[in-house]
Amino acid sequence: MLNLNLEILRTLDQCQGYLLPEPALVNHLRLALAPPPLTAETRAALNGLEARRLVVGVQPELGGPRKWRLTEEGKAELLANTI
């Protein structure tokens, strides 16, 4: 799970503050990690990171997939775990 959390933070950091749709994030994680995480595992990890205020999820008003971005706290967490 730790690798999944760190990969989520790394991926969102590469978006430079832009929102990343959840399906794109899920697909990236499936390609980046072995074994590929299940969608339910990814959602659980995202919810946990959001509860810790490391990421922010935005649900569009008109529907569609949830979109995610990294917070300043998430950037700090990523930096602390990559040194």
PDB file of all heavy atoms in Angstrom, residues 43-82:
ATOM      1  N   ARG A  43      -8.918   3.463  -5.045  1.00  0.00           N
ATOM      2  CA  ARG A  43      -9.901   4.369  -4.417  1.00  0.00           C
ATOM      3  C   ARG A  43      -9.703   4.440  -2.913  1.00  0.00           C
ATOM      4  O   ARG A  43      -9.811   5.511  -2.320  1.00  0.00           O
ATOM      5  CB  ARG A  43     -11.316   3.931  -4.762  1.00  0.00           C
ATOM      6  CG  ARG A  43     -11.670   4.257  -6.193  1.00  0.00           C
ATOM      7  CD  ARG A  43     -13.147   4.168  -6.467  1.00  0.00           C
ATOM      8  NE  ARG A  43     -13.375   4.502  -7.863  1.00  0.00           N
ATOM      9  CZ  ARG A  43     -14.070   3.741  -8.691  1.00  0.00           C
ATOM     10  NH1 ARG A  43     -14.612   2.610  -8.273  1.00  0.00           N
ATOM     11  NH2 ARG A  43     -14.240   4.109  -9.937  1.00  0.00           N
ATOM     12  N   ALA A  44      -9.423   3.294  -2.280  1.00  0.00           N
ATOM     13  CA  ALA A  44      -9.181   3.279  -0.833  1.00  0.00           C
ATOM     14  C   ALA A  44      -7.940   4.105  -0.499  1.00  0.00           C
ATOM     15  O   ALA A  44      -7.931   4.864   0.476  1.00  0.00           O
ATOM     16  CB  ALA A  44      -9.028   1.850  -0.335  1.00  0.00           C
ATOM     17  N   ALA A  45      -6.886   3.974  -1.314  1.00  0.00           N
ATOM     18  CA  ALA A  45      -5.672   4.744  -1.089  1.00  0.00           C
ATOM     19  C   ALA A  45      -5.941   6.239  -1.269  1.00  0.00           C
ATOM     20  O   ALA A  45      -5.487   7.058  -0.463  1.00  0.00           O
ATOM     21  CB  ALA A  45      -4.569   4.280  -2.040  1.00  0.00           C
ATOM     22  N   LEU A  46      -6.689   6.604  -2.308  1.00  0.00           N
ATOM     23  CA  LEU A  46      -7.022   8.011  -2.533  1.00  0.00           C
ATOM     24  C   LEU A  46      -7.840   8.578  -1.376  1.00  0.00           C
ATOM     25  O   LEU A  46      -7.579   9.692  -0.911  1.00  0.00           O
ATOM     26  CB  LEU A  46      -7.800   8.173  -3.839  1.00  0.00           C
ATOM     27  CG  LEU A  46      -6.979   8.075  -5.117  1.00  0.00           C
ATOM     28  CD1 LEU A  46      -7.883   7.910  -6.330  1.00  0.00           C
ATOM     29  CD2 LEU A  46      -6.081   9.296  -5.274  1.00  0.00           C
ATOM     30  N   ASN A  47      -8.804   7.813  -0.888  1.00  0.00           N
ATOM     31  CA  ASN A  47      -9.615   8.273   0.248  1.00  0.00           C
ATOM     32  C   ASN A  47      -8.762   8.455   1.494  1.00  0.00           C
ATOM     33  O   ASN A  47      -8.948   9.409   2.247  1.00  0.00           O
ATOM     34  CB  ASN A  47     -10.776   7.314   0.501  1.00  0.00           C
ATOM     35  CG  ASN A  47     -11.820   7.383  -0.587  1.00  0.00           C
ATOM     36  OD1 ASN A  47     -11.980   8.396  -1.254  1.00  0.00           O
ATOM     37  ND2 ASN A  47     -12.545   6.291  -0.778  1.00  0.00           N
ATOM     38  N   GLY A  48      -7.812   7.538   1.710  1.00  0.00           N
ATOM     39  CA  GLY A  48      -6.909   7.664   2.850  1.00  0.00           C
ATOM     40  C   GLY A  48      -6.007   8.884   2.728  1.00  0.00           C
ATOM     41  O   GLY A  48      -5.795   9.614   3.707  1.00  0.00           O
ATOM     42  N   LEU A  49      -5.483   9.117   1.535  1.00  0.00           N
ATOM     43  CA  LEU A  49      -4.628  10.292   1.306  1.00  0.00           C
ATOM     44  C   LEU A  49      -5.430  11.579   1.443  1.00  0.00           C
ATOM     45  O   LEU A  49      -4.926  12.579   1.968  1.00  0.00           O
ATOM     46  CB  LEU A  49      -3.973  10.209  -0.079  1.00  0.00           C
ATOM     47  CG  LEU A  49      -2.925   9.108  -0.247  1.00  0.00           C
ATOM     48  CD1 LEU A  49      -2.549   8.959  -1.719  1.00  0.00           C
ATOM     49  CD2 LEU A  49      -1.693   9.391   0.598  1.00  0.00           C
ATOM     50  N   GLU A  50      -6.682  11.554   1.004  1.00  0.00           N
ATOM     51  CA  GLU A  50      -7.532  12.734   1.136  1.00  0.00           C
ATOM     52  C   GLU A  50      -7.844  12.999   2.612  1.00  0.00           C
ATOM     53  O   GLU A  50      -7.858  14.159   3.051  1.00  0.00           O
ATOM     54  CB  GLU A  50      -8.819  12.568   0.340  1.00  0.00           C
ATOM     55  CG  GLU A  50      -9.671  13.817   0.323  1.00  0.00           C
ATOM     56  CD  GLU A  50     -10.881  13.706  -0.576  1.00  0.00           C
ATOM     57  OE1 GLU A  50     -11.507  12.619  -0.634  1.00  0.00           O
ATOM     58  OE2 GLU A  50     -11.222  14.718  -1.229  1.00  0.00           O
ATOM     59  N   ALA A  51      -8.069  11.943   3.380  1.00  0.00           N
ATOM     60  CA  ALA A  51      -8.340  12.103   4.810  1.00  0.00           C
ATOM     61  C   ALA A  51      -7.129  12.720   5.529  1.00  0.00           C
ATOM     62  O   ALA A  51      -7.299  13.474   6.489  1.00  0.00           O
ATOM     63  CB  ALA A  51      -8.697  10.760   5.437  1.00  0.00           C
ATOM     64  N   ARG A  52      -5.939  12.420   5.031  1.00  0.00           N
ATOM     65  CA  ARG A  52      -4.712  12.985   5.602  1.00  0.00           C
ATOM     66  C   ARG A  52      -4.379  14.351   4.991  1.00  0.00           C
ATOM     67  O   ARG A  52      -3.356  14.937   5.299  1.00  0.00           O
ATOM     68  CB  ARG A  52      -3.546  12.018   5.377  1.00  0.00           C
ATOM     69  CG  ARG A  52      -3.714  10.721   6.144  1.00  0.00           C
ATOM     70  CD  ARG A  52      -2.657   9.694   5.797  1.00  0.00           C
ATOM     71  NE  ARG A  52      -1.311  10.231   5.930  1.00  0.00           N
ATOM     72  CZ  ARG A  52      -0.256   9.719   5.299  1.00  0.00           C
ATOM     73  NH1 ARG A  52      -0.395   8.662   4.503  1.00  0.00           N
ATOM     74  NH2 ARG A  52       0.927  10.253   5.458  1.00  0.00           N
ATOM     75  N   ARG A  53      -5.240  14.822   4.088  1.00  0.00           N
ATOM     76  CA  ARG A  53      -5.093  16.108   3.403  1.00  0.00           C
ATOM     77  C   ARG A  53      -3.837  16.200   2.531  1.00  0.00           C
ATOM     78  O   ARG A  53      -3.265  17.274   2.361  1.00  0.00           O
ATOM     79  CB  ARG A  53      -5.140  17.259   4.405  1.00  0.00           C
ATOM     80  CG  ARG A  53      -6.457  17.320   5.132  1.00  0.00           C
ATOM     81  CD  ARG A  53      -6.522  18.464   6.063  1.00  0.00           C
ATOM     82  NE  ARG A  53      -7.857  18.465   6.696  1.00  0.00           N
ATOM     83  CZ  ARG A  53      -8.171  19.212   7.702  1.00  0.00           C
ATOM     84  NH1 ARG A  53      -7.300  20.041   8.207  1.00  0.00           N
ATOM     85  NH2 ARG A  53      -9.371  19.148   8.215  1.00  0.00           N
ATOM     86  N   LEU A  54      -3.448  15.063   1.966  1.00  0.00           N
ATOM     87  CA  LEU A  54      -2.300  15.040   1.067  1.00  0.00           C
ATOM     88  C   LEU A  54      -2.731  15.227  -0.385  1.00  0.00           C
ATOM     89  O   LEU A  54      -1.934  15.642  -1.226  1.00  0.00           O
ATOM     90  CB  LEU A  54      -1.520  13.732   1.224  1.00  0.00           C
ATOM     91  CG  LEU A  54      -1.001  13.453   2.637  1.00  0.00           C
ATOM     92  CD1 LEU A  54      -0.272  12.120   2.672  1.00  0.00           C
ATOM     93  CD2 LEU A  54      -0.106  14.577   3.138  1.00  0.00           C
ATOM     94  N   VAL A  55      -3.984  14.899  -0.668  1.00  0.00           N
ATOM     95  CA  VAL A  55      -4.569  15.102  -1.996  1.00  0.00           C
ATOM     96  C   VAL A  55      -5.966  15.681  -1.814  1.00  0.00           C
ATOM     97  O   VAL A  55      -6.560  15.561  -0.735  1.00  0.00           O
ATOM     98  CB  VAL A  55      -4.634  13.800  -2.827  1.00  0.00           C
ATOM     99  CG1 VAL A  55      -3.265  13.204  -3.048  1.00  0.00           C
ATOM    100  CG2 VAL A  55      -5.566  12.780  -2.188  1.00  0.00           C
ATOM    101  N   VAL A  56      -6.486  16.279  -2.879  1.00  0.00           N
ATOM    102  CA  VAL A  56      -7.846  16.821  -2.878  1.00  0.00           C
ATOM    103  C   VAL A  56      -8.578  16.228  -4.072  1.00  0.00           C
ATOM    104  O   VAL A  56      -8.068  16.257  -5.204  1.00  0.00           O
ATOM    105  CB  VAL A  56      -7.838  18.363  -2.991  1.00  0.00           C
ATOM    106  CG1 VAL A  56      -9.240  18.902  -3.191  1.00  0.00           C
ATOM    107  CG2 VAL A  56      -7.204  18.983  -1.767  1.00  0.00           C
ATOM    108  N   GLY A  57      -9.774  15.698  -3.806  1.00  0.00           N
ATOM    109  CA  GLY A  57     -10.632  15.190  -4.864  1.00  0.00           C
ATOM    110  C   GLY A  57     -11.757  16.169  -5.137  1.00  0.00           C
ATOM    111  O   GLY A  57     -12.355  16.703  -4.203  1.00  0.00           O
ATOM    112  N   VAL A  58     -12.038  16.407  -6.418  1.00  0.00           N
ATOM    113  CA  VAL A  58     -13.092  17.340  -6.825  1.00  0.00           C
ATOM    114  C   VAL A  58     -14.081  16.580  -7.686  1.00  0.00           C
ATOM    115  O   VAL A  58     -13.693  15.944  -8.664  1.00  0.00           O
ATOM    116  CB  VAL A  58     -12.497  18.527  -7.619  1.00  0.00           C
ATOM    117  CG1 VAL A  58     -13.591  19.450  -8.103  1.00  0.00           C
ATOM    118  CG2 VAL A  58     -11.466  19.265  -6.790  1.00  0.00           C
ATOM    119  N   GLN A  59     -15.358  16.656  -7.300  1.00  0.00           N
ATOM    120  CA  GLN A  59     -16.417  16.040  -8.100  1.00  0.00           C
ATOM    121  C   GLN A  59     -17.053  17.125  -8.957  1.00  0.00           C
ATOM    122  O   GLN A  59     -17.615  18.079  -8.421  1.00  0.00           O
ATOM    123  CB  GLN A  59     -17.474  15.409  -7.195  1.00  0.00           C
ATOM    124  CG  GLN A  59     -18.572  14.682  -7.944  1.00  0.00           C
ATOM    125  CD  GLN A  59     -18.062  13.442  -8.657  1.00  0.00           C
ATOM    126  OE1 GLN A  59     -17.330  12.657  -8.075  1.00  0.00           O
ATOM    127  NE2 GLN A  59     -18.441  13.284  -9.906  1.00  0.00           N
ATOM    128  N   PRO A  60     -16.970  17.029 -10.289  1.00  0.00           N
ATOM    129  CA  PRO A  60     -17.587  18.038 -11.154  1.00  0.00           C
ATOM    130  C   PRO A  60     -19.094  18.139 -10.916  1.00  0.00           C
ATOM    131  O   PRO A  60     -19.767  17.121 -10.724  1.00  0.00           O
ATOM    132  CB  PRO A  60     -17.288  17.539 -12.574  1.00  0.00           C
ATOM    133  CG  PRO A  60     -16.128  16.613 -12.424  1.00  0.00           C
ATOM    134  CD  PRO A  60     -16.267  16.002 -11.064  1.00  0.00           C
ATOM    135  N   GLU A  61     -19.616  19.353 -10.928  1.00  0.00           N
ATOM    136  CA  GLU A  61     -21.042  19.594 -10.687  1.00  0.00           C
ATOM    137  C   GLU A  61     -21.925  18.925 -11.734  1.00  0.00           C
ATOM    138  O   GLU A  61     -23.032  18.498 -11.436  1.00  0.00           O
ATOM    139  CB  GLU A  61     -21.331  21.092 -10.668  1.00  0.00           C
ATOM    140  CG  GLU A  61     -20.802  21.794  -9.444  1.00  0.00           C
ATOM    141  CD  GLU A  61     -21.165  23.267  -9.436  1.00  0.00           C
ATOM    142  OE1 GLU A  61     -22.185  23.642 -10.036  1.00  0.00           O
ATOM    143  OE2 GLU A  61     -20.419  24.028  -8.807  1.00  0.00           O
ATOM    144  N   LEU A  62     -21.457  18.858 -12.957  1.00  0.00           N
ATOM    145  CA  LEU A  62     -22.261  18.293 -14.035  1.00  0.00           C
ATOM    146  C   LEU A  62     -22.039  16.796 -14.209  1.00  0.00           C
ATOM    147  O   LEU A  62     -22.469  16.215 -15.200  1.00  0.00           O
ATOM    148  CB  LEU A  62     -21.950  19.018 -15.344  1.00  0.00           C
ATOM    149  CG  LEU A  62     -22.251  20.513 -15.336  1.00  0.00           C
ATOM    150  CD1 LEU A  62     -21.835  21.147 -16.652  1.00  0.00           C
ATOM    151  CD2 LEU A  62     -23.728  20.759 -15.065  1.00  0.00           C
ATOM    152  N   GLY A  63     -21.375  16.176 -13.265  1.00  0.00           N
ATOM    153  CA  GLY A  63     -21.112  14.746 -13.348  1.00  0.00           C
ATOM    154  C   GLY A  63     -19.760  14.465 -13.955  1.00  0.00           C
ATOM    155  O   GLY A  63     -18.966  15.366 -14.200  1.00  0.00           O
ATOM    156  N   GLY A  64     -19.499  13.223 -14.184  1.00  0.00           N
ATOM    157  CA  GLY A  64     -18.216  12.817 -14.720  1.00  0.00           C
ATOM    158  C   GLY A  64     -17.313  12.316 -13.608  1.00  0.00           C
ATOM    159  O   GLY A  64     -17.683  12.314 -12.430  1.00  0.00           O
ATOM    160  N   PRO A  65     -16.122  11.891 -13.978  1.00  0.00           N
ATOM    161  CA  PRO A  65     -15.222  11.295 -12.991  1.00  0.00           C
ATOM    162  C   PRO A  65     -14.664  12.331 -12.010  1.00  0.00           C
ATOM    163  O   PRO A  65     -14.533  13.506 -12.338  1.00  0.00           O
ATOM    164  CB  PRO A  65     -14.104  10.700 -13.839  1.00  0.00           C
ATOM    165  CG  PRO A  65     -14.100  11.510 -15.085  1.00  0.00           C
ATOM    166  CD  PRO A  65     -15.533  11.906 -15.305  1.00  0.00           C
ATOM    167  N   ARG A  66     -14.362  11.853 -10.835  1.00  0.00           N
ATOM    168  CA  ARG A  66     -13.711  12.686  -9.832  1.00  0.00           C
ATOM    169  C   ARG A  66     -12.308  13.030 -10.327  1.00  0.00           C
ATOM    170  O   ARG A  66     -11.669  12.230 -11.020  1.00  0.00           O
ATOM    171  CB  ARG A  66     -13.632  11.904  -8.516  1.00  0.00           C
ATOM    172  CG  ARG A  66     -13.395  12.758  -7.328  1.00  0.00           C
ATOM    173  CD  ARG A  66     -13.755  12.010  -6.084  1.00  0.00           C
ATOM    174  NE  ARG A  66     -13.729  12.968  -4.987  1.00  0.00           N
ATOM    175  CZ  ARG A  66     -13.622  12.658  -3.741  1.00  0.00           C
ATOM    176  NH1 ARG A  66     -13.560  11.393  -3.389  1.00  0.00           N
ATOM    177  NH2 ARG A  66     -13.603  13.579  -2.816  1.00  0.00           N
ATOM    178  N   LYS A  67     -11.836  14.213  -9.985  1.00  0.00           N
ATOM    179  CA  LYS A  67     -10.515  14.657 -10.410  1.00  0.00           C
ATOM    180  C   LYS A  67      -9.686  14.942  -9.168  1.00  0.00           C
ATOM    181  O   LYS A  67     -10.206  15.396  -8.148  1.00  0.00           O
ATOM    182  CB  LYS A  67     -10.616  15.894 -11.288  1.00  0.00           C
ATOM    183  CG  LYS A  67     -11.376  15.620 -12.574  1.00  0.00           C
ATOM    184  CD  LYS A  67     -11.535  16.852 -13.416  1.00  0.00           C
ATOM    185  CE  LYS A  67     -12.338  16.506 -14.667  1.00  0.00           C
ATOM    186  NZ  LYS A  67     -12.539  17.660 -15.515  1.00  0.00           N
ATOM    187  N   TRP A  68      -8.390  14.696  -9.266  1.00  0.00           N
ATOM    188  CA  TRP A  68      -7.501  14.766  -8.108  1.00  0.00           C
ATOM    189  C   TRP A  68      -6.322  15.705  -8.349  1.00  0.00           C
ATOM    190  O   TRP A  68      -5.849  15.847  -9.476  1.00  0.00           O
ATOM    191  CB  TRP A  68      -6.962  13.370  -7.797  1.00  0.00           C
ATOM    192  CG  TRP A  68      -8.036  12.428  -7.402  1.00  0.00           C
ATOM    193  CD1 TRP A  68      -8.748  11.595  -8.225  1.00  0.00           C
ATOM    194  CD2 TRP A  68      -8.548  12.223  -6.090  1.00  0.00           C
ATOM    195  NE1 TRP A  68      -9.668  10.884  -7.496  1.00  0.00           N
ATOM    196  CE2 TRP A  68      -9.566  11.250  -6.182  1.00  0.00           C
ATOM    197  CE3 TRP A  68      -8.247  12.768  -4.847  1.00  0.00           C
ATOM    198  CZ2 TRP A  68     -10.279  10.815  -5.067  1.00  0.00           C
ATOM    199  CZ3 TRP A  68      -8.961  12.319  -3.743  1.00  0.00           C
ATOM    200  CH2 TRP A  68      -9.960  11.360  -3.860  1.00  0.00           C
ATOM    201  N   ARG A  69      -5.860  16.316  -7.252  1.00  0.00           N
ATOM    202  CA  ARG A  69      -4.623  17.096  -7.311  1.00  0.00           C
ATOM    203  C   ARG A  69      -3.884  16.947  -5.989  1.00  0.00           C
ATOM    204  O   ARG A  69      -4.466  16.622  -4.955  1.00  0.00           O
ATOM    205  CB  ARG A  69      -4.888  18.564  -7.633  1.00  0.00           C
ATOM    206  CG  ARG A  69      -5.479  19.367  -6.515  1.00  0.00           C
ATOM    207  CD  ARG A  69      -5.455  20.875  -6.836  1.00  0.00           C
ATOM    208  NE  ARG A  69      -6.115  21.610  -5.783  1.00  0.00           N
ATOM    209  CZ  ARG A  69      -5.533  21.953  -4.629  1.00  0.00           C
ATOM    210  NH1 ARG A  69      -4.295  21.632  -4.397  1.00  0.00           N
ATOM    211  NH2 ARG A  69      -6.210  22.608  -3.707  1.00  0.00           N
ATOM    212  N   LEU A  70      -2.609  17.219  -6.018  1.00  0.00           N
ATOM    213  CA  LEU A  70      -1.730  17.143  -4.860  1.00  0.00           C
ATOM    214  C   LEU A  70      -1.821  18.436  -4.068  1.00  0.00           C
ATOM    215  O   LEU A  70      -1.884  19.524  -4.642  1.00  0.00           O
ATOM    216  CB  LEU A  70      -0.298  16.923  -5.354  1.00  0.00           C
ATOM    217  CG  LEU A  70       0.770  16.582  -4.327  1.00  0.00           C
ATOM    218  CD1 LEU A  70       0.473  15.249  -3.663  1.00  0.00           C
ATOM    219  CD2 LEU A  70       2.126  16.533  -5.003  1.00  0.00           C
ATOM    220  N   THR A  71      -1.807  18.349  -2.731  1.00  0.00           N
ATOM    221  CA  THR A  71      -1.796  19.536  -1.879  1.00  0.00           C
ATOM    222  C   THR A  71      -0.355  19.871  -1.495  1.00  0.00           C
ATOM    223  O   THR A  71       0.569  19.097  -1.766  1.00  0.00           O
ATOM    224  CB  THR A  71      -2.602  19.289  -0.589  1.00  0.00           C
ATOM    225  OG1 THR A  71      -1.949  18.257   0.166  1.00  0.00           O
ATOM    226  CG2 THR A  71      -4.045  18.902  -0.889  1.00  0.00           C
ATOM    227  N   GLU A  72      -0.176  21.005  -0.857  1.00  0.00           N
ATOM    228  CA  GLU A  72       1.159  21.367  -0.356  1.00  0.00           C
ATOM    229  C   GLU A  72       1.642  20.335   0.658  1.00  0.00           C
ATOM    230  O   GLU A  72       2.826  19.992   0.682  1.00  0.00           O
ATOM    231  CB  GLU A  72       1.141  22.772   0.254  1.00  0.00           C
ATOM    232  CG  GLU A  72       0.962  23.881  -0.770  1.00  0.00           C
ATOM    233  CD  GLU A  72       2.060  23.911  -1.832  1.00  0.00           C
ATOM    234  OE1 GLU A  72       3.247  23.732  -1.486  1.00  0.00           O
ATOM    235  OE2 GLU A  72       1.721  24.099  -3.017  1.00  0.00           O
ATOM    236  N   GLU A  73       0.728  19.851   1.501  1.00  0.00           N
ATOM    237  CA  GLU A  73       1.085  18.815   2.466  1.00  0.00           C
ATOM    238  C   GLU A  73       1.516  17.534   1.750  1.00  0.00           C
ATOM    239  O   GLU A  73       2.428  16.838   2.193  1.00  0.00           O
ATOM    240  CB  GLU A  73      -0.088  18.518   3.413  1.00  0.00           C
ATOM    241  CG  GLU A  73      -0.452  19.657   4.331  1.00  0.00           C
ATOM    242  CD  GLU A  73      -1.443  20.647   3.716  1.00  0.00           C
ATOM    243  OE1 GLU A  73      -1.748  20.560   2.493  1.00  0.00           O
ATOM    244  OE2 GLU A  73      -1.908  21.521   4.455  1.00  0.00           O
ATOM    245  N   GLY A  74       0.855  17.238   0.649  1.00  0.00           N
ATOM    246  CA  GLY A  74       1.222  16.074  -0.152  1.00  0.00           C
ATOM    247  C   GLY A  74       2.597  16.222  -0.766  1.00  0.00           C
ATOM    248  O   GLY A  74       3.373  15.259  -0.827  1.00  0.00           O
ATOM    249  N   LYS A  75       2.919  17.427  -1.224  1.00  0.00           N
ATOM    250  CA  LYS A  75       4.264  17.676  -1.765  1.00  0.00           C
ATOM    251  C   LYS A  75       5.320  17.469  -0.694  1.00  0.00           C
ATOM    252  O   LYS A  75       6.376  16.881  -0.950  1.00  0.00           O
ATOM    253  CB  LYS A  75       4.358  19.101  -2.324  1.00  0.00           C
ATOM    254  CG  LYS A  75       3.571  19.309  -3.579  1.00  0.00           C
ATOM    255  CD  LYS A  75       3.700  20.735  -4.057  1.00  0.00           C
ATOM    256  CE  LYS A  75       2.778  21.005  -5.230  1.00  0.00           C
ATOM    257  NZ  LYS A  75       2.855  22.357  -5.725  1.00  0.00           N
ATOM    258  N   ALA A  76       5.041  17.943   0.520  1.00  0.00           N
ATOM    259  CA  ALA A  76       5.979  17.788   1.627  1.00  0.00           C
ATOM    260  C   ALA A  76       6.154  16.298   1.976  1.00  0.00           C
ATOM    261  O   ALA A  76       7.271  15.839   2.229  1.00  0.00           O
ATOM    262  CB  ALA A  76       5.514  18.575   2.837  1.00  0.00           C
ATOM    263  N   GLU A  77       5.058  15.563   1.991  1.00  0.00           N
ATOM    264  CA  GLU A  77       5.106  14.130   2.277  1.00  0.00           C
ATOM    265  C   GLU A  77       5.918  13.391   1.214  1.00  0.00           C
ATOM    266  O   GLU A  77       6.732  12.524   1.529  1.00  0.00           O
ATOM    267  CB  GLU A  77       3.684  13.564   2.337  1.00  0.00           C
ATOM    268  CG  GLU A  77       3.603  12.096   2.604  1.00  0.00           C
ATOM    269  CD  GLU A  77       3.858  11.710   4.057  1.00  0.00           C
ATOM    270  OE1 GLU A  77       3.867  12.603   4.933  1.00  0.00           O
ATOM    271  OE2 GLU A  77       4.049  10.517   4.308  1.00  0.00           O
ATOM    272  N   LEU A  78       5.710  13.747  -0.037  1.00  0.00           N
ATOM    273  CA  LEU A  78       6.457  13.137  -1.124  1.00  0.00           C
ATOM    274  C   LEU A  78       7.949  13.425  -0.985  1.00  0.00           C
ATOM    275  O   LEU A  78       8.776  12.544  -1.108  1.00  0.00           O
ATOM    276  CB  LEU A  78       5.936  13.631  -2.476  1.00  0.00           C
ATOM    277  CG  LEU A  78       6.598  13.056  -3.719  1.00  0.00           C
ATOM    278  CD1 LEU A  78       6.474  11.551  -3.777  1.00  0.00           C
ATOM    279  CD2 LEU A  78       6.000  13.702  -4.963  1.00  0.00           C
ATOM    280  N   LEU A  79       8.275  14.658  -0.700  1.00  0.00           N
ATOM    281  CA  LEU A  79       9.678  15.038  -0.524  1.00  0.00           C
ATOM    282  C   LEU A  79      10.313  14.279   0.640  1.00  0.00           C
ATOM    283  O   LEU A  79      11.441  13.797   0.531  1.00  0.00           O
ATOM    284  CB  LEU A  79       9.784  16.546  -0.301  1.00  0.00           C
ATOM    285  CG  LEU A  79      11.191  17.128  -0.197  1.00  0.00           C
ATOM    286  CD1 LEU A  79      11.979  16.864  -1.473  1.00  0.00           C
ATOM    287  CD2 LEU A  79      11.133  18.605   0.091  1.00  0.00           C
ATOM    288  N   ALA A  80       9.580  14.146   1.726  1.00  0.00           N
ATOM    289  CA  ALA A  80      10.103  13.436   2.909  1.00  0.00           C
ATOM    290  C   ALA A  80      10.348  11.957   2.636  1.00  0.00           C
ATOM    291  O   ALA A  80      11.211  11.351   3.254  1.00  0.00           O
ATOM    292  CB  ALA A  80       9.127  13.596   4.074  1.00  0.00           C
ATOM    293  N   ASN A  81       9.602  11.392   1.688  1.00  0.00           N
ATOM    294  CA  ASN A  81       9.729   9.956   1.401  1.00  0.00           C
ATOM    295  C   ASN A  81      10.605   9.638   0.192  1.00  0.00           C
ATOM    296  O   ASN A  81      10.726   8.488  -0.167  1.00  0.00           O
ATOM    297  CB  ASN A  81       8.340   9.340   1.210  1.00  0.00           C
ATOM    298  CG  ASN A  81       7.643   9.144   2.524  1.00  0.00           C
ATOM    299  OD1 ASN A  81       8.017   8.270   3.292  1.00  0.00           O
ATOM    300  ND2 ASN A  81       6.667   9.966   2.809  1.00  0.00           N
ATOM    301  N   THR A  82      11.171  10.653  -0.434  1.00  0.00           N
ATOM    302  CA  THR A  82      12.037  10.406  -1.599  1.00  0.00           C
ATOM    303  C   THR A  82      13.485  10.763  -1.318  1.00  0.00           C
ATOM    304  O   THR A  82      14.320  10.669  -2.204  1.00  0.00           O
ATOM    305  CB  THR A  82      11.541  11.173  -2.833  1.00  0.00           C
ATOM    306  OG1 THR A  82      11.443  12.562  -2.522  1.00  0.00           O
ATOM    307  CG2 THR A  82      10.202  10.646  -3.298  1.00  0.00           C
TER     308      THR A  82
END
